Amino acid sequence: MSDSEDLFHFVEDIAEQARRRLQAWKEGQAPGASAPAPDLSTARVDLETLRSHADLAPYIDHTLLKPEARAEDVVKVAEEARQYGFATVCVNGTHVATAARVLAGTSTVPIAVVGFPLGASLPSAKAFEARESIRAGAREIDMVLNVGALKAHDYALVHQDIAAVVEASRPVPVKVILETALLTDEEKVIACSLSKAAGAAFVKTSTGFGPGGATEADVALMRRVVGDTVGVKASGGIRSAEDAMKMLRAGANRLGASASVAIVSGQSSTAKY
């Protein structure tokens, strides 16, 4: 049997396990296998530690992904991240070096998006983009899943796509953006299972450019599938501290938002992601 056939059968097995886990959850049963030991960087947030809106800051990826963003806009966002103590600044690859320069010497790190926002690039192109972004200073990578391949049941390609970026990014962690608004529950479960199997550190709900953003139901489903050894990032449509808390309660341990300053200030924003 060829390597490609082996991979195909391996991924098919993962997909079948994912379907069974979804069915078991719907029937109110436990997923079967016990969860691995928690990793503090990916497990659920202890909500008791959040005593004020400002305490949300370490869980927020302060985000600027607008196509019209200029270098001075990135500098402003990075300076806000320094001021408020956000976990990261998430930008397009062309702006990573600027963000890295402003964030130097702080605990806030730059994220680069890869294959953004459609996810339809070649695996080799995504891997190259990840390597170049890391060379420019990225310390986390948020890649977009190949949604079309997932819907076509080409699970081997989905796995290959994620694994190529994970390998190109080592040791930098990779988050996989599922674009959940385009997926059925079964597809979400399969996507999470494939992401985990390919070595992703996180699964993430949305790009913010699709037909919908994060929902509590999707976050809860994703957390149930990946357990505590893979993180869950909720992104898209989080515009207030109340929104943020809903996602954390559902199981997210990272939040992607452009309204980060409003969130930690106890305000609400109408700005788009």
Side-chain angles (χ1 to χ4, degrees), residues 20 26-27 52 72 75 83 100 103 107 113-114 117 128 132 144 159 167 176 188 235 267-268 272:
R20 289 199 298 268
K26 286 180 175 178
E27 293 173 359
S52 71
E72 52 263 45
V75 170
Q83 177 183 350
L103 296 173
S107 60
V113 291
V114 164
F128 178 83
E132 290 301 296
V144 186
H159 182 276
E167 183 59 33
V176 179
K188 293 165 196 171
S235 62
Q267 302 171 5
S268 183
K272 293 186 176 180

Side-chain angles (χ1 to χ4, degrees), residues 7 11 123-124 143 154-166 198:
L7 178 59
V11 176
S124 56
M143 68 167 287
D154 191 348
Y155 303 132
L157 176 55
V158 176
H159 182 276
Q160 175 194 357
D161 189 51
I162 299 167
V165 175
V166 168

Side-chain angles (χ1 to χ4, degrees), residues 218-249:
D218 283 344
V219 169
L221 174 59
M222 292 161 68
R223 175 57 75 184
R224 175 61 70 96
V225 174
V226 300
D228 280 348
T229 58
V230 172
V232 177
K233 177 175 174 179
S235 62
I238 302 172
R239 300 189 178 96
S240 68
E242 182 181 2
D243 292 338
M245 288 300 299
K246 287 178 181 178
M247 296 305 159
L248 295 180
R249 290 190 192 100

Side-chain angles (χ1 to χ4, degrees), residues 86 117 163 183 196 204:
F86 297 129
L183 306 179
K196 185 172 182 178
K204 174 178 171 181

Side-chain angles (χ1 to χ4, degrees), residues 78-103:
E79 288 176 343
E80 290 171 346
R82 290 179 64 115
Q83 177 183 350
Y84 291 96
F86 297 129
T88 72
V89 169
C90 185
V91 294
N92 286 292
T94 190
H95 294 304
V96 166
T98 300
R101 174 176 55 80
V102 178
L103 296 173

